Amino acid sequence: MSPNIDSVVITGSELNSTENLAQARRMKESEEQSKRASVGAQTKPSKLSSGAAATFYLSASGLVGGIVAFLLDQLYEATVGANTSDFNQSIFSCIFLALGNGLTVTVAEALTTRSGEKIRLAFEIAFPISIYFGVVLGSIAELIFLNAISGLIRQENFLTSSGTSTEAAASWLANHSHFARALCWAVLGIAAGLTVGVASRSLKRTLLSVGGGVLGGFFGGLLTDFFPNNLQWISQIFGFAFMGLLVGLSMGLLEQVAKMQWIEIVKGGREGKQYILYKPEVTLGSSASAEITLTRDDGILPIHARIFTRYSRMYFECIDESKPALVDGTETVFTMISNGAEIQIGETIVRFRERKAGAEVVAGIS
């Protein structure tokens, strides 16, 4: 460097001065705000984290539901269960599984809204549904199991009469009864899935929940049946809890695979929360009657806006024209939206997301 050019020396104390640190913080905040405001600003980690969080929450809810079902079953056996037939005991176990898994998952999802009215409505819908499907499908499951076991026992007796040792015949029966029990638990999984799906009032959600219930119930029942007979208590609590976990996990995974349109809360109450759009039209607002409840924002009306599909295109519309929203920074009461669109209602910002087939928008929410 030329000796005629003055050098600038910055000391450590000057670099770490309060003024410089404050300026650096403001620059950082400005950078983050710019990232959030940019149209279509979306990152794969954000998508995965919201989907993973939703799946984890369903799995945890199912696990808790399985434990609740086990406790209800034990309470029943300790009180009136000893005075009833084995068939009735099995039916009540089925009811508790449907009640524990289906009701817990449904109410747990409502809890995420932190709306007492939403939680109450979820409970009022899910409770009688879980009881009904528990009785009906529990009876069907038990009849399936008894019929299958009766056939296997006849085959066991035939093996014994044909000269097969008692131990070998019993081993054959145990090995061939696994599928029957797994099938029985799969039917119970249907009851849990129907409870969650019907409470959501969406056909697509119901089909996905039933599919998850079948998978979770089948594999939960199959693995439980491998426990030794001398560990019956451990087998029961493991079976109930593991089935609940697998039911919730299966539901979550199927929903993430099948989802086509969804929104994520970028800023506001329940930031990071994901809502899958199952219906051709969904409403957004601050009340429990809104299908997507946005909390902690006084600027949001009870039913503020709707997102709907028409002819393979997605639209956003404010219900009250005097209460517009910002879509990608532009004030509007009605506009077409596409993947990555950011919608600000009050102080809350949500991002619309959708999967695409090539360069075309996937049609509908259906």
Side-chain angles (χ1 to χ4, degrees):
M1 181 180 292
S2 170
N4 295 325
I5 300 178
D6 295 333
S7 62
V8 178
V9 179
I10 301 176
T11 65
S13 59
E14 290 176 331
L15 186 62
N16 296 316
S17 66
T18 302
E19 182 179 351
N20 285 336
L21 291 175
Q23 179 65 22
R25 184 171 61 253
R26 287 193 294 270
M27 292 174 65
K28 181 66 174 177
E29 291 173 350
S30 177
E31 179 185 0
E32 292 299 322
Q33 181 64 30
S34 175
K35 289 179 181 177
R36 288 195 296 266
S38 58
V39 177
Q42 49 190 315
T43 61
K44 195 170 184 180
S46 173
K47 174 183 175 182
L48 290 176
S49 62
S50 58
T55 303
F56 174 80
Y57 195 80
L58 280 174
S59 303
S61 302
L63 176 63
V64 172
I67 295 173
V68 169
F70 170 77
L71 294 176
L72 289 174
D73 189 64
Q74 292 300 301
L75 179 63
Y76 171 78
E77 288 189 11
T79 52
V80 299
N83 300 319
T84 60
S85 66
D86 290 341
F87 184 82
N88 286 337
Q89 286 187 23
S90 298
I91 295 301
F92 271 96
S93 295
C94 297
I95 294 173
F96 296 143
L97 278 167
L99 181 67
N101 289 314
L103 182 62
T104 303
V105 170
T106 303
V107 173
E109 287 191 308
L111 283 171
T112 64
T113 66
R114 301 184 182 180
S115 167
E117 182 67 11
K118 202 96 170 180
I119 296 168
R120 183 185 66 80
L121 289 173
F123 184 85
E124 288 181 352
I125 295 173
F127 183 78
I129 290 174
S130 63
I131 295 293
Y132 174 77
F133 286 125
V135 172
V136 173
L137 292 173
S139 300
I140 293 173
E142 188 62 19
L143 290 174
I144 290 174
F145 182 72
L146 291 177
N147 183 65
I149 289 298
S150 296
L152 292 173
I153 290 176
R154 286 195 296 270
Q155 183 65 26
E156 179 193 25
N157 293 334
F158 174 78
L159 291 174
T160 303
S161 63
S162 299
T164 304
S165 67
T166 303
E167 292 78 8
S171 177
W172 179 91
L173 175 63
N175 290 331
H176 286 77
S177 65
H178 297 314
F179 180 80
R181 189 174 299 277
L183 184 62
C184 173
W185 281 58
V187 175
L188 298 181
I190 294 176
L194 282 172
T195 300
V196 176
V198 174
S200 71
R201 292 169 289 182
S202 164
L203 176 60
K204 183 175 181 180
R205 179 77 192 280
T206 300
L207 294 175
L208 290 172
S209 298
V210 168
V214 170
L215 290 174
F218 182 86
F219 288 107
L222 183 64
L223 293 175
T224 301
D225 206 41
F226 283 93
F227 270 77
N229 292 331
N230 60 340
L231 297 176
Q232 184 177 7
W233 187 84
I234 296 177
S235 171
Q236 285 181 332
I237 189 171
F238 175 85
F240 277 73
F242 192 67
M243 177 186 173
L245 172 65
L246 287 184
V247 166
L249 177 62
S250 300
M251 288 180 185
L253 291 177
L254 284 179
E255 287 183 355
Q256 294 307 311
V257 170
K259 71 180 181 183
M260 301 308 295
Q261 287 97 4
W262 65 101
I263 65 170
E264 299 170 344
I265 298 180
V266 178
K267 177 185 176 183
R270 301 298 296 165
E271 184 172 319
K273 171 72 175 173
Q274 174 191 98
Y275 293 92
I276 300 176
L277 306 181
Y278 293 105
K279 301 179 181 179
E281 178 178 324
V282 295
T283 55
L284 298 84
S286 59
S287 71
S289 57
E291 287 162 302
I292 297 177
T293 303
L294 304 175
T295 61
R296 297 190 233 167
D297 193 332
D298 295 335
I300 300 178
L301 298 175
I303 303 293
H304 198 112
R306 65 183 184 129
I307 294 176
F308 62 97
T309 180
R310 290 290 185 275
Y311 306 108
S312 303
R313 300 291 182 180
M314 300 301 301
Y315 295 90
F316 170 83
E317 180 181 31
C318 291
I319 305 300
D320 187 343
E321 293 187 358
S322 66
K323 299 290 184 181
L326 293 176
V327 178
D328 291 333
T330 301
E331 189 174 279
T332 183
V333 294
F334 176 80
T335 185
M336 187 173 71
I337 57 176
S338 58
N339 186 39
E342 289 196 349
I343 303 166
Q344 180 172 341
I345 307 174
E347 297 298 321
T348 300
I349 300 176
V350 302
R351 180 181 294 136
F352 172 72
R353 304 291 298 275
E354 65 182 345
R355 284 205 175 108
K356 294 183 178 181
E360 297 298 323
V361 176
V362 177
I365 301 175
S366 63

PDB file of all heavy atoms in Angstrom, residues 46 53 59 86 96 143 183 199 215 245 273 284 288 302 309 327 333 351:
ATOM      1  N   SER A  46     -38.776 -25.540   5.594  1.00  0.00           N
ATOM      2  CA  SER A  46     -39.991 -25.039   6.213  1.00  0.00           C
ATOM      3  C   SER A  46     -41.148 -25.988   5.968  1.00  0.00           C
ATOM      4  O   SER A  46     -41.919 -26.312   6.850  1.00  0.00           O
ATOM      5  CB  SER A  46     -40.317 -23.645   5.657  1.00  0.00           C
ATOM      6  OG  SER A  46     -41.563 -23.205   6.124  1.00  0.00           O
ATOM      7  N   ALA A  53     -43.975 -31.817  11.968  1.00  0.00           N
ATOM      8  CA  ALA A  53     -44.603 -31.427  13.236  1.00  0.00           C
ATOM      9  C   ALA A  53     -46.029 -31.943  13.313  1.00  0.00           C
ATOM     10  O   ALA A  53     -46.473 -32.443  14.350  1.00  0.00           O
ATOM     11  CB  ALA A  53     -44.574 -29.903  13.384  1.00  0.00           C
ATOM     12  N   SER A  59     -49.086 -38.542  16.010  1.00  0.00           N
ATOM     13  CA  SER A  59     -48.511 -39.745  16.616  1.00  0.00           C
ATOM     14  C   SER A  59     -48.570 -39.670  18.138  1.00  0.00           C
ATOM     15  O   SER A  59     -48.959 -40.637  18.807  1.00  0.00           O
ATOM     16  CB  SER A  59     -47.064 -39.933  16.156  1.00  0.00           C
ATOM     17  OG  SER A  59     -46.974 -40.009  14.752  1.00  0.00           O
ATOM     18  N   ASP A  86     -66.908 -63.090  28.305  1.00  0.00           N
ATOM     19  CA  ASP A  86     -65.694 -62.724  27.579  1.00  0.00           C
ATOM     20  C   ASP A  86     -66.021 -61.893  26.344  1.00  0.00           C
ATOM     21  O   ASP A  86     -65.280 -60.972  25.982  1.00  0.00           O
ATOM     22  CB  ASP A  86     -64.936 -63.990  27.154  1.00  0.00           C
ATOM     23  CG  ASP A  86     -64.322 -64.720  28.345  1.00  0.00           C
ATOM     24  OD1 ASP A  86     -64.172 -64.076  29.409  1.00  0.00           O
ATOM     25  OD2 ASP A  86     -64.010 -65.918  28.205  1.00  0.00           O
ATOM     26  N   PHE A  96     -63.318 -48.891  24.116  1.00  0.00           N
ATOM     27  CA  PHE A  96     -62.289 -48.052  24.751  1.00  0.00           C
ATOM     28  C   PHE A  96     -61.182 -47.690  23.755  1.00  0.00           C
ATOM     29  O   PHE A  96     -60.649 -46.584  23.803  1.00  0.00           O
ATOM     30  CB  PHE A  96     -61.706 -48.775  25.968  1.00  0.00           C
ATOM     31  CG  PHE A  96     -62.697 -49.006  27.063  1.00  0.00           C
ATOM     32  CD1 PHE A  96     -62.672 -50.186  27.811  1.00  0.00           C
ATOM     33  CD2 PHE A  96     -63.670 -48.061  27.353  1.00  0.00           C
ATOM     34  CE1 PHE A  96     -63.596 -50.400  28.821  1.00  0.00           C
ATOM     35  CE2 PHE A  96     -64.595 -48.276  28.376  1.00  0.00           C
ATOM     36  CZ  PHE A  96     -64.558 -49.437  29.104  1.00  0.00           C
ATOM     37  N   LEU A 143     -66.457 -60.884  16.183  1.00  0.00           N
ATOM     38  CA  LEU A 143     -67.041 -62.004  15.437  1.00  0.00           C
ATOM     39  C   LEU A 143     -66.054 -62.550  14.416  1.00  0.00           C
ATOM     40  O   LEU A 143     -65.955 -63.772  14.211  1.00  0.00           O
ATOM     41  CB  LEU A 143     -68.331 -61.548  14.749  1.00  0.00           C
ATOM     42  CG  LEU A 143     -69.518 -61.258  15.681  1.00  0.00           C
ATOM     43  CD1 LEU A 143     -70.681 -60.672  14.902  1.00  0.00           C
ATOM     44  CD2 LEU A 143     -69.946 -62.527  16.421  1.00  0.00           C
ATOM     45  N   LEU A 183     -56.003 -58.735  11.969  1.00  0.00           N
ATOM     46  CA  LEU A 183     -57.180 -58.329  11.207  1.00  0.00           C
ATOM     47  C   LEU A 183     -58.246 -57.740  12.127  1.00  0.00           C
ATOM     48  O   LEU A 183     -58.899 -56.744  11.795  1.00  0.00           O
ATOM     49  CB  LEU A 183     -57.748 -59.536  10.455  1.00  0.00           C
ATOM     50  CG  LEU A 183     -58.942 -59.264   9.530  1.00  0.00           C
ATOM     51  CD1 LEU A 183     -58.548 -58.291   8.429  1.00  0.00           C
ATOM     52  CD2 LEU A 183     -59.456 -60.575   8.938  1.00  0.00           C
ATOM     53  N   ALA A 199     -65.531 -36.382  12.418  1.00  0.00           N
ATOM     54  CA  ALA A 199     -65.492 -35.149  13.199  1.00  0.00           C
ATOM     55  C   ALA A 199     -64.951 -33.980  12.379  1.00  0.00           C
ATOM     56  O   ALA A 199     -65.291 -32.822  12.623  1.00  0.00           O
ATOM     57  CB  ALA A 199     -64.639 -35.339  14.452  1.00  0.00           C
ATOM     58  N   LEU A 215     -53.967 -49.420   8.925  1.00  0.00           N
ATOM     59  CA  LEU A 215     -52.536 -49.750   8.970  1.00  0.00           C
ATOM     60  C   LEU A 215     -52.038 -49.827  10.408  1.00  0.00           C
ATOM     61  O   LEU A 215     -51.331 -50.771  10.797  1.00  0.00           O
ATOM     62  CB  LEU A 215     -51.743 -48.704   8.191  1.00  0.00           C
ATOM     63  CG  LEU A 215     -51.911 -48.719   6.668  1.00  0.00           C
ATOM     64  CD1 LEU A 215     -51.172 -47.540   6.044  1.00  0.00           C
ATOM     65  CD2 LEU A 215     -51.412 -50.029   6.079  1.00  0.00           C
ATOM     66  N   LEU A 245     -50.214 -45.212  18.855  1.00  0.00           N
ATOM     67  CA  LEU A 245     -49.089 -44.531  18.210  1.00  0.00           C
ATOM     68  C   LEU A 245     -49.099 -44.771  16.706  1.00  0.00           C
ATOM     69  O   LEU A 245     -48.953 -43.833  15.906  1.00  0.00           O
ATOM     70  CB  LEU A 245     -47.775 -45.025  18.813  1.00  0.00           C
ATOM     71  CG  LEU A 245     -46.483 -44.550  18.123  1.00  0.00           C
ATOM     72  CD1 LEU A 245     -46.333 -43.043  18.255  1.00  0.00           C
ATOM     73  CD2 LEU A 245     -45.276 -45.270  18.709  1.00  0.00           C
ATOM     74  N   LYS A 273     -47.857 -23.548  12.267  1.00  0.00           N
ATOM     75  CA  LYS A 273     -48.931 -24.534  12.168  1.00  0.00           C
ATOM     76  C   LYS A 273     -49.351 -24.713  10.717  1.00  0.00           C
ATOM     77  O   LYS A 273     -49.410 -23.767   9.947  1.00  0.00           O
ATOM     78  CB  LYS A 273     -50.125 -24.071  13.008  1.00  0.00           C
ATOM     79  CG  LYS A 273     -51.400 -24.878  12.847  1.00  0.00           C
ATOM     80  CD  LYS A 273     -51.313 -26.231  13.489  1.00  0.00           C
ATOM     81  CE  LYS A 273     -52.659 -26.958  13.414  1.00  0.00           C
ATOM     82  NZ  LYS A 273     -52.569 -28.344  13.885  1.00  0.00           N
ATOM     83  N   LEU A 284     -61.685 -18.887   6.896  1.00  0.00           N
ATOM     84  CA  LEU A 284     -60.677 -18.469   7.859  1.00  0.00           C
ATOM     85  C   LEU A 284     -61.270 -17.372   8.725  1.00  0.00           C
ATOM     86  O   LEU A 284     -61.946 -16.466   8.224  1.00  0.00           O
ATOM     87  CB  LEU A 284     -59.416 -17.937   7.170  1.00  0.00           C
ATOM     88  CG  LEU A 284     -58.618 -18.874   6.266  1.00  0.00           C
ATOM     89  CD1 LEU A 284     -59.220 -18.912   4.851  1.00  0.00           C
ATOM     90  CD2 LEU A 284     -57.171 -18.442   6.182  1.00  0.00           C
ATOM     91  N   ALA A 288     -64.723 -20.151  16.435  1.00  0.00           N
ATOM     92  CA  ALA A 288     -64.677 -21.613  16.354  1.00  0.00           C
ATOM     93  C   ALA A 288     -65.452 -22.126  15.154  1.00  0.00           C
ATOM     94  O   ALA A 288     -65.212 -23.236  14.687  1.00  0.00           O
ATOM     95  CB  ALA A 288     -65.240 -22.211  17.637  1.00  0.00           C
ATOM     96  N   PRO A 302     -64.764 -12.848  12.957  1.00  0.00           N
ATOM     97  CA  PRO A 302     -65.115 -14.248  13.250  1.00  0.00           C
ATOM     98  C   PRO A 302     -65.046 -15.144  12.014  1.00  0.00           C
ATOM     99  O   PRO A 302     -64.492 -16.234  12.050  1.00  0.00           O
ATOM    100  CB  PRO A 302     -66.545 -14.140  13.791  1.00  0.00           C
ATOM    101  CG  PRO A 302     -66.591 -12.773  14.419  1.00  0.00           C
ATOM    102  CD  PRO A 302     -65.746 -11.911  13.536  1.00  0.00           C
ATOM    103  N   THR A 309     -61.786 -23.215  -4.661  1.00  0.00           N
ATOM    104  CA  THR A 309     -61.318 -23.594  -5.993  1.00  0.00           C
ATOM    105  C   THR A 309     -62.442 -23.471  -6.999  1.00  0.00           C
ATOM    106  O   THR A 309     -63.594 -23.813  -6.709  1.00  0.00           O
ATOM    107  CB  THR A 309     -60.775 -25.039  -5.994  1.00  0.00           C
ATOM    108  OG1 THR A 309     -60.331 -25.367  -7.302  1.00  0.00           O
ATOM    109  CG2 THR A 309     -61.827 -26.039  -5.563  1.00  0.00           C
ATOM    110  N   VAL A 327     -52.529  -9.481  -0.117  1.00  0.00           N
ATOM    111  CA  VAL A 327     -52.065 -10.689  -0.791  1.00  0.00           C
ATOM    112  C   VAL A 327     -50.809 -10.329  -1.564  1.00  0.00           C
ATOM    113  O   VAL A 327     -50.859  -9.519  -2.493  1.00  0.00           O
ATOM    114  CB  VAL A 327     -53.141 -11.268  -1.722  1.00  0.00           C
ATOM    115  CG1 VAL A 327     -52.600 -12.506  -2.440  1.00  0.00           C
ATOM    116  CG2 VAL A 327     -54.397 -11.617  -0.936  1.00  0.00           C
ATOM    117  N   VAL A 333     -59.767  -7.609  -1.867  1.00  0.00           N
ATOM    118  CA  VAL A 333     -60.835  -8.397  -1.235  1.00  0.00           C
ATOM    119  C   VAL A 333     -61.101  -9.672  -2.031  1.00  0.00           C
ATOM    120  O   VAL A 333     -61.800 -10.568  -1.561  1.00  0.00           O
ATOM    121  CB  VAL A 333     -62.145  -7.585  -1.107  1.00  0.00           C
ATOM    122  CG1 VAL A 333     -61.959  -6.429  -0.139  1.00  0.00           C
ATOM    123  CG2 VAL A 333     -62.624  -7.090  -2.469  1.00  0.00           C
ATOM    124  N   ARG A 351     -49.266 -18.491   4.453  1.00  0.00           N
ATOM    125  CA  ARG A 351     -48.732 -18.761   3.118  1.00  0.00           C
ATOM    126  C   ARG A 351     -49.481 -19.936   2.505  1.00  0.00           C
ATOM    127  O   ARG A 351     -49.610 -20.995   3.124  1.00  0.00           O
ATOM    128  CB  ARG A 351     -47.242 -19.068   3.184  1.00  0.00           C
ATOM    129  CG  ARG A 351     -46.615 -19.361   1.811  1.00  0.00           C
ATOM    130  CD  ARG A 351     -45.140 -19.678   1.929  1.00  0.00           C
ATOM    131  NE  ARG A 351     -44.402 -18.529   2.387  1.00  0.00           N
ATOM    132  CZ  ARG A 351     -43.458 -18.572   3.326  1.00  0.00           C
ATOM    133  NH1 ARG A 351     -43.165 -19.725   3.900  1.00  0.00           N
ATOM    134  NH2 ARG A 351     -42.816 -17.484   3.687  1.00  0.00           N
TER     135      ARG A 351
END
